[in-house]
Amino acid sequence: MDLSTIIHKTAADLRVAPNFSDYEAERHGFSWDAIRRTLGAQPDGGLNIAWQAVDRHVESGAGDKVAFRFLSRGGPAARAVTYAQLASLTNRFCNVLRELGVGKGDRIFILAGRIPELYTALLGGLKNGCVVSPLFSAFGPEPIATRLNLGKGSVLVTTDQLFMRKVAAWRDRMPSLKHILLVAEDGGSTAIPGTLDLAAMMRSATDACQITPTTSEDMALLHFTSGTTGTPKGAVHVHGAALTHWATGRYALDLHADDIYWCTADPGWVTGTSYGAIAPLLHGITSIVDLEEFDAQRWYGILHDEGVTVWYTAPTAIRMLMKAGTEAARVRAFRRLRFIASVGEPLNPEAVWWGKNVLGLPIHDNWWQTETGGIMIANTPAFDIKPGSMGRPLPGVDAAIVRRNEDGRAELIDSPGTEGELALRSGWPSMFRAYLNEEARYRKCFAHEWYLTGDLARRDTDGYYWFVGRTDDVIKSSGHLIGPFEVESALMEHPAVAEAGVIGKPDPVAGEVVKAFVSLNKGFEPSEALRLELLGHGRSRLGASVAPKDIAFLAELPRTRSGKIMRRLLKARELGLPEGDTSTLETGS
Ligand code: AMP
C-alpha cells in the first residue's frame, strides 16, 4: 500500500465528539485571554500552575477524583492518589520547604524515576514559589552536577539509591546545594549523613498551606536542553505556561473530563513534566504513571487493563512495539483507547499506519521543543492525517518557514514545498523567557517577532508541516536530545583522549545513537581494551542513555582552519555520504 495515503477521519476513528472540528474557525476565534478566563481566577488574583492543576479541582468539588494511578511491578497493585490527596501532599511538601527556610525563587532539582514523590515535589515546590528543575534519572553524575551548578540548585529531591550511585561522590562539587531530601526506595526511612529523610519530614509537616503568591510571569520551571556547543542551556519557563498546557491538552490531545490518560515520557524531560503531569491535571483527568521501564507485553497490558483512552507516546517506543510483532498487540482489544499521539522525533508513515492497522487508530504526530514549553504543531482530531507530516499549527500558534538573512532578519518563504527554518511568532504563553544567565544565546534565537527553532521543515499547500532535519549537530537518541559537546568533554577527561568528535548515527529503533571518534594522546595506542575502557568511562560519567554506544579511533580529527572539529564531515564519512563543502577544512587532516 502507499504509505503516504491520507488518513481520512471517520466516526470510528474519533469514537467521541472531538473538542473541535473546524480548524480554521477555531484558529480564527481563538484568544489567549479566553483561555485565561476558562482556567478561572485564583483567590489571590495571581497565577500558579500548582493551584490551577490541583487545588482548583478540589475547590470545585472534584477532590475525590483520581489524579494519578501509579503502577509498579511486584509492589501494591496500584496506588491511586486523588486530587484532594495530591492537594494535601503538595501542601505538606510546601511546608517542608518553608521549614527549611527555602522560599520564593529558590531552585529545587528533582532526580527520580516516576515515583509519587516526584509529582509531590514538583507541584509542592511550585506552591512555594520555587523554581523546579526535574532531571533525567538515567543521567550520570557529570550531567547532574553540571545542571545543578548552572541552575544554582539549593534543594535536591532524590532517592537514597540514586543519591549513593550518582551524587554522593560529587557532593563537594555542588556548592549551592543546601538540602538533600531522600526518598527510601524500599518505602522505609533513610539515615544517610548530610541528607534528610523526606518521608519523616512529610509526616511532621501540616497540610494547611497558603500558596506563595505568583504571577503569570514568575519563573516556575527550568528545563535543561542541549546545543551544539557550550554548556547545557537552562530554558526558563513561567507560571503562565499553564495556559498553553491547558489549550494544547484540549486541541492536540483531545482531553475530555472522563479520560484515562497515559503519557509515557520521563518527567526528567519537558514532555514528562508538561504532559505527564501539568496538562492532564489542568484538565482534571486521571493519569496512569508506570514506574517500570519499557516492556511490550506490559505496555499492552496497561493500555488494556487500565482502560487507557488517550495515549501520548514517542516514536522510539512505537518502533519497539512494532518490533515486538503484531501478535503481541492482537492478543488484546483496546476498546477504550480512542486517541494516540506521539512526539519527540520524526514519526515515519509506517508507524502512523501501524497504529491504524494494528491498534485500530492512527497515530497523531506532533511537534514542539523544550523552548516552546508546549505543543505547537500537531495532527489533531479535527483534520485528516498526512502520514509523515507533523500536522498544522495549533490555534494560538503562528508558524512560518523562513530563511535567516545576513543582517539577522528572517525572510518569510511563502512558496509551499520550499525548505527553510521553522519559525514561530513570539508571544504564546509557554514560550521560554530566557536561557538562564545567557542573554546573548537567547537573543540569537529571535529575528524580530519570530522565534527561530533550529529545525528545518517545509510547509505544503494545505498548511501541513514536514520535518526535514536540524540546523545544528545535536543528537536525538530514543527521543532524548544530546549535546555532542557534553559527550566530547566527558571523553576528553580520560587521560588517553586528545580530542573527540561526536555524531548521531542513524538507528532503526532509537532514531540515532551516539558515536564518538577520538584521537589519542602520545603514549597511547588504539586497542580493543582501550575502546572498551573509554565506553565504560563514558557510561559511568554520563549515564548509559547519553554515553557513546560506539567509539572509533582516528589519527587526527577533521578540523576547520579555525580549529573546530567538523562533525558534519565525520558524519558524512561514517555514512558514506558526499562530504559537501570542505573549503574550510584544515589541510593535512
Ligand atoms: P526537546 O527540546 O528535547 O524536546 O527536542 C526538541 C526537538 O526534537 C525538536 O527541535 C525537533 O528537532 C525534535 N522533534 C520534536 N518533535 C518532533 C517531531 N514530531 N518530528 C520531528 N522532530 C521532532
Side-chain angles (χ1 to χ4, degrees):
M1 85 179 273
D2 179 1
L3 295 174
S4 64
T5 308
I6 293 180
I7 301 181
H8 296 290
K9 291 289 163 61
T10 63
D13 283 335
L14 294 173
R15 300 191 186 172
V16 299
N19 284 330
F20 77 122
S21 53
D22 185 336
Y23 174 71
E24 296 300 344
E26 196 73 24
R27 277 181 70 76
H28 188 71
F30 182 88
S31 87
W32 288 112
D33 285 344
I35 301 290
R36 173 89 200 230
R37 286 194 295 278
T38 308
L39 274 181
Q42 253 173 247
D44 64 4
L47 182 70
N48 186 292
I49 290 175
W51 189 88
Q52 296 288 348
V54 185
D55 298 28
R56 180 167 59 97
H57 304 299
V58 179
E59 290 189 15
S60 67
D64 289 340
K65 188 157 180 189
V66 173
F68 289 116
R69 277 173 63 75
F70 293 98
L71 312 180
S72 64
R73 211 193 302 267
R79 177 173 161 197
V81 175
T82 65
Y83 277 87
Q85 288 166 336
L86 191 58
S88 159
L89 287 166
T90 50
N91 282 351
R92 278 174 190 267
F93 186 80
C94 179
N95 288 329
V96 165
L97 293 176
R98 287 176 185 169
E99 191 82 358
L100 295 171
V102 176
K104 189 170 178 181
D106 288 341
R107 313 270 165 80
I108 302 181
F109 280 70
I110 309 173
L111 176 74
R114 292 174 287 271
I115 56 175
E117 290 83 354
L118 181 152
Y119 300 84
T120 306
L122 167 70
L123 297 157
L126 294 176
K127 282 188 170 179
N128 193 35
C130 295
V131 176
V132 183
S133 186
L135 293 173
F136 186 35
S137 60
F139 275 154
E142 193 153 320
I144 293 169
T146 303
R147 284 159 180 76
L148 198 135
N149 287 336
L150 285 170
K152 297 208 166 31
S154 57
V155 178
L156 175 66
V157 180
T158 185
T159 69
D160 49 358
Q161 292 184 25
L162 284 171
F163 174 75
M164 291 313 292
R165 283 212 316 273
K166 304 189 175 202
V167 183
W170 290 63
R171 172 72 185 84
D172 293 347
R173 292 186 231 183
M174 302 182 210
S176 58
L177 196 50
K178 294 198 188 107
H179 311 286
I180 299 170
L181 305 178
L182 295 187
V183 178
E185 286 198 15
D186 66 2
S189 56
T190 74
I192 299 174
T195 70
L196 298 161
D197 180 17
L198 180 59
M201 299 194 74
M202 288 287 280
R203 273 194 302 275
S204 57
T206 81
D207 66 0
C209 168
Q210 281 284 333
I211 290 187
T212 299
T214 49
T215 70
S216 57
E217 282 305 309
D218 275 330
M219 190 168 160
L221 293 156
L222 183 59
H223 287 295
F224 284 91
T225 183
S226 296
T228 307
T229 55
T231 53
K233 304 178 277 189
V236 170
H237 288 283
V238 295
H239 281 274
L243 273 65
T244 304
H245 295 145
W246 189 87
T248 52
R250 173 178 161 78
Y251 293 125
L253 301 175
D254 198 41
L255 299 179
H256 286 50
D258 55 357
D259 273 322
I260 304 291
Y261 167 79
W262 185 25
C263 169
T264 61
D266 193 284
W269 301 92
V270 71
T271 305
T273 307
S274 299
Y275 295 98
I278 298 170
L281 292 174
L282 288 170
H283 280 266
I285 63 171
T286 300
S287 282
I288 302 300
V289 179
D290 186 24
L291 281 81
E292 310 296 337
E293 293 312 318
F294 176 86
D295 174 277
Q297 285 301 342
R298 181 175 175 84
W299 278 33
Y300 287 132
I302 292 173
L303 287 172
H304 176 267
D305 300 346
E306 295 294 324
V308 172
T309 56
V310 176
W311 186 34
Y312 193 21
T313 189
T316 295
I318 294 165
R319 288 191 291 263
M320 291 200 288
L321 289 174
M322 289 168 74
K323 229 176 128 189
T326 307
E327 279 318 301
R330 295 228 162 105
V331 173
R332 297 183 175 87
F334 307 108
R335 278 193 207 90
R336 295 206 58 202
L337 192 61
R338 66 171 185 84
F339 191 78
I340 311 177
S342 157
V343 72
E345 315 154 57
L347 186 70
N348 35 326
E350 290 87 339
V352 178
W353 276 105
W354 174 85
K356 174 109 176 115
N357 294 333
V358 177
L359 302 178
L361 296 165
I363 299 172
H364 296 74
D365 186 19
N366 61 51
W367 177 97
W368 60 291
Q369 51 181 199
T370 304
E371 288 84 346
T372 70
I375 303 168
M376 298 283 106
I377 295 177
N379 287 285
T380 75
F383 46 84
D384 295 337
I385 295 178
K386 294 191 184 185
S389 159
M390 317 188 284
R392 299 202 265 182
L394 290 177
V397 175
D398 281 334
I401 300 293
V402 307
R403 188 179 297 122
R404 287 191 206 213
N405 277 343
E406 296 289 302
D407 62 2
R409 295 176 81 87
E411 184 192 326
L412 296 193
I413 301 176
D414 281 331
S415 53
T418 308
E419 217 175 282
E421 186 164 356
L422 176 62
L424 303 165
R425 194 190 300 278
S426 320
W428 70 96
S430 67
M431 187 178 88
F432 70 134
R433 298 297 197 270
Y435 283 133
L436 195 67
N437 307 326
E438 292 196 274
E439 177 59 25
R441 219 172 176 185
Y442 183 70
R443 260 188 281 116
K444 258 179 90 177
C445 301
F446 293 87
H448 295 273
E449 81 265 39
W450 293 101
Y451 161 63
L452 306 168
T453 65
D455 278 6
L456 296 171
R458 58 190 166 78
R459 186 186 56 240
D460 69 16
T461 43
D462 299 319
Y464 284 69
Y465 282 74
W466 299 75
F467 181 79
V468 173
R470 298 272 316 184
T471 58
D472 58 17
D473 292 334
V474 292
I475 299 161
K476 258 280 156 124
S477 186
S478 300
H480 304 140
L481 200 72
I482 297 172
F485 183 73
E486 199 168 16
V487 181
E488 289 159 2
S489 307
L491 287 173
M492 285 174 63
E493 283 167 29
H494 190 283
V497 177
E499 49 185 12
V502 165
I503 63 161
K505 186 177 162 181
D507 178 86
V509 175
E512 288 184 307
V513 291
V514 178
K515 172 155 188 179
F517 296 87
V518 299
S519 65
L520 299 178
N521 281 318
K522 273 206 175 63
F524 292 90
E525 289 299 322
S527 70
E528 183 56 13
L530 181 56
R531 204 179 70 85
L532 294 176
E533 186 180 321
L534 292 177
L535 286 169
H537 168 84
R539 266 199 308 277
S540 68
R541 287 289 168 117
L542 298 162
S545 53
V546 180
K549 298 275 180 296
D550 191 8
I551 293 183
F553 297 108
L554 289 181
E556 250 181 279
L557 299 187
R559 293 176 162 282
T560 61
R561 284 191 207 109
S562 59
K564 272 213 271 184
I565 289 170
M566 292 179 85
R567 300 188 189 108
R568 181 179 55 76
L569 199 58
L570 285 171
K571 189 161 179 168
R573 287 177 182 169
E574 172 72 18
L575 304 183
L577 297 172
E579 297 194 353
D581 179 7
T582 52
S583 57
T584 59
L585 183 67
E586 191 185 46
T587 46
S589 61

